[in-house]
Amino acid sequence: MYKRIIYMGLGIACLSLTFTSCKSPAALQRTANTTTPDTYNGSHDSTNTGTIAWREYFKDPNLRMLIDTALGNNQELNIVLQEIAIAKSEVREKKGEYLPFVGLRAGAGLEKVGRYTSQGASDANTDIRPGEEFPEPLGDFLVAAEIDWEVDIWHKLRNAKKAAVTRYLSSIEGRNFMVTNLIAEIANSYYELLALDNELAIIKQNIGIQSNALEIVKLQKAAAKVNELAVKKFEAEVFHTKSLQFEIQQEVVQTENKINFLLGRYPQHIERDHQGFEDLVPETVHLGLPSQLLANRPDIKEAELDLVAAKLDVKVAKARFYPSLGISAGIGFQSFNAKYLLETPESLLYSLVGDLTAPLINRNAIKAVYYGASAKQLQAVYNYEQTILNAYVEVANQLAKIDNLEKSYDLRSKEVDALTASIDISNRLFKSARADYMEVLLTQRDALEAKVELIETKQKQMSAVVNVYRALGGGWN
């Protein structure tokens, strides 16, 4: 049923990152205690299904409409968008810390000191100008500009800004990964809904077959060919199948509501066409090169950026051990009377101060921050390795699932054909008294189960195709 799958060679590898703690491909495989599967050592086709836009990958117009609605209304996705905005604000904050702080200061005050104090006695014997004593009380008016700047000698502030930028980019990749999963979840639920519709149609069709068989048994009982036990057995089978119908209808309601929740809207009917579900044939899946998987998967890129940010955090924490240089400057006008405020040079004031400080005693707090940042960096390395390994495992699982489900679907199709034919045979034998009514009942039940299982296998096939698209990093671009 499926077209040929084009395999790629997959090898676990670190990206070209400047991390001393990032391991080589061989070391990474030893860490995971695994070896590259033989199925990955196939052809190296550069075509990658993960790069196909979701509008091109999913052909069903109803499914496209659902995905489009979800991308605009899904609440969880909107929450992530606000997290991106928060990360962007953090970048602005760190950038502001890196630049000088400039402020304007204005003030007015009034002071009266005691005459029998050193300051009061000094003011009383000092003239501001010849023949002009200090006013009492003494006013104080000030207008000045102040600058504070920490000179980033060890790139502490610069690396903090880079870390914030990296986390902002990581949050964008996290959003892309959520989009990929959201699209996959909607597509899986949609195909599950189509499968339930087909199962419901099969059950209704089977109810008709069983009801006809029940009428035949009643006629044969009237002709004294069978007893009441046969009639009750057929009636029970009809009731059992009808109960299955309501179970499927409940699953339909729940699946519709699940899709509506993902779309961010209240329960309502999901537009769909379940006709031809059994004939759906997915397109060929191209896996591409190993490097393309690393480039396409948003979660891998997110883990990579988190690793970059963790390394920068270590540099920031390490720089706190070194001396820091701060420069403070100010210029303005200050006078005891507002009318003299702008007179120069008498009212002019300015200052320039440089501070060099370094921690000497009780550096435990700085050490704790440094050790914590180092542990988080190592944690980010392990998370990065685990994310890469998980990506390859997901692809391998979905490839095997597609191949095995294709074979399973072909065999189940033959099983359904055989059991469908056996229903007519059992009915004819029963009418001619050459078969027991239990054989007819068992044949009908087996045929119903086989048809339902065939639909479920088709649904699993479509789910595998959706999941391999997600595993290859498709949907977000």
Side-chain angles (χ1 to χ4, degrees):
M1 184 62 66
Y2 280 81
K3 297 183 180 180
R4 180 174 61 87
I5 305 298
I6 300 178
Y7 291 88
M8 70 173 178
L10 298 178
I12 301 177
C14 286
L15 297 182
S16 56
L17 305 175
T18 57
F19 305 138
T20 57
S21 56
C22 190
K23 302 182 180 179
S24 64
L28 189 57
Q29 289 185 1
R30 287 195 299 272
T31 301
N33 193 23
T34 186
T35 56
T36 304
D38 294 335
T39 53
Y40 291 158
N41 298 323
S43 63
H44 291 260
D45 186 355
S46 60
T47 305
N48 191 317
T49 298
T51 60
I52 300 175
W54 64 265
R55 293 182 183 275
E56 299 178 10
Y57 190 76
F58 299 108
K59 308 298 183 182
D60 193 319
N62 292 321
L63 177 57
R64 290 178 181 176
M65 182 179 65
L66 294 175
I67 294 175
D68 200 38
T69 303
L71 294 180
N73 297 342
N74 183 265
Q75 285 89 350
E76 189 172 359
L77 186 58
N78 290 332
I79 292 173
V80 173
L81 292 178
Q82 297 308 310
E83 292 178 357
I84 294 176
I86 294 173
K88 189 175 181 180
S89 298
E90 184 180 354
V91 173
R92 293 178 178 175
E93 177 187 355
K94 297 300 180 182
K95 184 178 180 180
E97 292 178 357
Y98 174 66
L99 299 174
F101 289 88
V102 180
L104 294 176
R105 181 182 174 187
L110 195 64
E111 181 183 23
K112 166 67 173 67
V113 298
R115 177 59 62 92
Y116 298 121
T117 63
S118 60
Q119 181 180 350
S122 176
D123 292 346
N125 296 310
T126 304
D127 293 339
I128 297 175
R129 291 177 180 180
E132 185 178 351
E133 298 181 352
F134 261 87
E136 190 178 12
L138 183 66
D140 185 15
F141 299 91
L142 171 68
V143 175
E146 298 177 343
I147 300 176
D148 291 312
W149 183 37
E150 181 179 351
V151 182
D152 197 19
I153 303 175
W154 314 111
H155 291 185
K156 179 179 67 175
L157 300 178
R158 188 177 306 174
N159 287 329
K161 185 192 74 171
K162 289 181 180 179
V165 172
T166 305
R167 287 194 171 88
Y168 167 68
L169 297 176
S170 175
S171 66
I172 294 177
E173 296 300 337
R175 178 260 179 194
N176 294 338
F177 187 56
M178 176 170 289
V179 169
T180 295
N181 288 325
L182 178 62
I183 291 174
E185 190 171 0
I186 292 174
N188 281 328
S189 299
Y190 180 76
Y191 288 129
E192 181 183 354
L193 193 58
L194 296 184
L196 291 172
D197 288 341
N198 280 267
E199 289 179 16
L200 190 60
I202 290 173
I203 289 176
K204 289 179 178 179
Q205 182 182 8
N206 213 66
I207 290 174
I209 295 174
Q210 292 176 351
S211 298
N212 291 334
L214 175 60
E215 294 302 322
I216 294 174
V217 172
K218 288 181 178 180
L219 292 175
Q220 289 188 339
K221 177 181 178 296
K225 293 183 179 181
V226 297
N227 53 30
E228 184 67 18
L229 179 60
V231 175
K232 293 302 180 183
K233 283 287 186 180
F234 273 87
E235 282 183 346
E237 192 67 18
V238 172
F239 292 146
H240 173 73
T241 307
K242 287 183 177 180
S243 68
L244 293 178
Q245 176 182 352
F246 294 104
E247 292 179 7
I248 297 296
Q249 288 178 349
Q250 178 60 30
E251 291 184 30
V252 168
V253 172
Q254 292 178 348
T255 306
E256 281 188 325
N257 290 340
K258 178 182 178 181
I259 295 176
N260 284 316
F261 177 78
L262 294 175
L263 268 58
R265 66 188 189 186
Y266 291 99
Q268 56 186 275
H269 175 72
I270 300 296
E271 292 294 334
R272 60 191 182 275
D273 183 10
H274 68 275
Q275 301 295 331
F277 177 72
E278 297 183 33
D279 300 325
L280 289 178
V281 180
E283 297 294 333
T284 304
V285 176
H286 299 271
L287 302 182
L289 302 175
S291 59
Q292 291 175 318
L293 179 62
L294 297 177
N296 289 342
R297 290 267 304 211
D299 58 332
I300 292 179
K301 292 190 284 186
E302 181 183 12
E304 174 192 349
L305 291 168
D306 288 340
L307 185 52
V308 174
K311 183 186 177 185
L312 292 170
D313 288 340
V314 172
K315 291 183 177 181
V316 172
K318 187 176 181 180
R320 296 183 64 188
F321 288 102
Y322 306 142
S324 61
L325 175 61
I327 297 177
S328 299
I331 185 171
F333 299 91
Q334 186 174 20
S335 173
F336 67 88
N337 194 317
K339 67 180 181 179
Y340 302 138
L341 185 61
L342 298 180
E343 289 191 8
T344 56
E346 290 83 1
S347 297
L348 179 66
L349 64 86
Y350 55 84
S351 65
L352 180 63
V353 180
D355 293 323
L356 187 64
T357 59
L360 295 178
I361 302 175
N362 192 11
R363 302 194 302 174
N364 290 334
I366 300 177
K367 290 180 180 179
V369 173
Y370 176 73
Y371 293 150
S374 299
K376 289 180 180 179
Q377 182 190 20
L378 187 58
Q379 186 183 54
V381 171
Y382 292 142
N383 180 65
Y384 177 65
E385 294 175 357
Q386 184 185 47
T387 303
I388 294 177
L389 181 60
N390 178 66
Y392 285 112
V393 168
E394 285 184 357
V395 174
N397 288 342
Q398 297 307 320
L399 285 179
K401 192 172 184 180
I402 288 175
D403 185 49
N404 291 326
L405 286 174
E406 177 184 0
K407 298 173 182 177
S408 175
Y409 187 84
D410 291 338
L411 294 175
R412 289 192 183 278
S413 296
K414 296 176 181 178
E415 178 188 8
V416 169
D417 293 339
L419 289 173
T420 301
S422 67
I423 292 178
D424 295 332
I425 296 174
S426 64
N427 287 334
R428 289 197 301 269
L429 292 175
F430 179 69
K431 291 177 182 178
S432 60
R434 288 186 293 171
D436 186 72
Y437 66 88
M438 287 302 298
E439 294 181 275
V440 178
L441 288 174
L442 291 176
T443 300
Q444 292 178 351
R445 178 172 293 185
D446 291 342
L448 174 61
E449 292 178 354
K451 290 178 181 178
V452 171
E453 289 175 355
L454 181 66
I455 295 298
E456 291 177 349
T457 303
K458 171 59 67 175
Q459 187 265 324
K460 291 178 181 178
Q461 279 185 312
M462 300 305 301
S463 177
V465 173
V466 171
N467 290 335
V468 78
Y469 180 63
R470 183 191 63 82
L472 292 172
W476 64 269
N477 48 351

